[in-house]
Amino acid sequence: MNRQSNSYTLIYSIGLVVLVGVLLSVVYQALKPMQDENIADDKRKQILAAVLIAPHEGESVAELYNRYVKESFNVGSNGERISTDIAPFDVNIADEVKKNPDDRVLPVFVTETDKGQKYILPIYGAGLWGPIWGYVSFNSDGRTIYGAYFAHQGETPGLGAEIEKPDFQNQFIDKSVFSGDEFKSVAVVKVGQEPTDREYVHGISGGTITSQGVSEMLENSLAPYENYLKNLQTSDKQ
C-alpha cells in the first residue's frame, strides 16, 4: 500500500487509536483495584475522623478501621435494623437523601473507643458550589454529639471550605440534637441570630450559603434517624 495515500493514513490512524484504546483499557483494569481501595480508605478515614481518630504516618487505614469499627448495619426510619442487599459501607448517601425519609436506607457504624461506644451516622447535602458531606458521631446516650467531620467538593478556600477545619467541626462536640423528647438538629447560624429552641454553632464568616447548607444537611440527614437515636436513649437508661 502506498504510504503516501489517504487510505494508508486513515488505516494507520484507526489502528493507532485502537491500539492506544486497548492499552488504556488494560492499564485501567490493572489499576482499578488499587483505585477502589484508595477510595475505600479515604471513606474509612472520614468515618474515623468523626470519632476523632486519625491514622499516623505509615499506619494502615484499613487495619485502624477494623480495630475501632466493631459493627455496622442499616436501619429504617422506625429505628429498627433492616435487611438489605447492600452493605452499610456501600450505601450511596447522595441517592438516599433524595428519597422520602421513610424510604431511606440509613447506615450506622458502631465504634469502640477509649471513651466508650460511639455511633456514626453519614450526612450529605449541598453547599454553594457543589456537594458537601460528612459523618456525625453520637455518644451512647443517643442525644449528644461526640464528634463531627465535614468535607466538600468545591467550596471557596478561606470561606465555605473552612467547614473541613477543626475550628468549625469542634463546635459540634457535646451539642444535643434533642430538646426534651423532640428532635431538634443543631443549627448553624450567624452571630446575633442564635435560636432559643435548639443547640447551635456559629457559621463560617463570609461563607453564609455553605453554612446554611451544613445546617440543612444536618436536619435532612439526621431527622430520619430520630427513632434510632431514641432507641439508643432507651437502651442507655436500662
Side-chain angles (χ1 to χ4, degrees), residues 105-119:
V105 174
L106 307 169
V108 178
F109 302 90
V110 184
T111 61
E112 189 70 49
T113 73
D114 57 359
K115 303 293 184 180
Q117 280 194 331
K118 309 301 173 187
Y119 302 82

Side-chain angles (χ1 to χ4, degrees), residues 15 32 52 57 61 83 110 117 119 123 144 153 161 211 221 236:
K32 191 175 186 305
L52 314 179
E57 185 175 352
V61 176
S83 297
V110 184
Q117 280 194 331
Y119 302 82
I123 55 178
T144 55
Q153 181 170 296
S211 297
S221 297
D236 189 58

Side-chain angles (χ1 to χ4, degrees), residues 175 184-203 215:
K175 298 295 183 181
K184 295 273 189 179
S185 179
V186 178
V188 184
V189 300
K190 291 182 178 180
V191 174
Q193 296 183 358
E194 294 84 359
T196 58
D197 66 333
R198 67 184 63 210
E199 299 261 30
Y200 64 86
V201 302
H202 289 127
S215 193

Side-chain angles (χ1 to χ4, degrees), residues 1-2 5-18:
M1 180 180 292
N2 183 359
S5 66
N6 291 334
S7 57
Y8 176 84
T9 301
L10 179 61
I11 293 172
Y12 179 83
S13 299
I14 292 174
L16 186 61
V17 168
V18 170

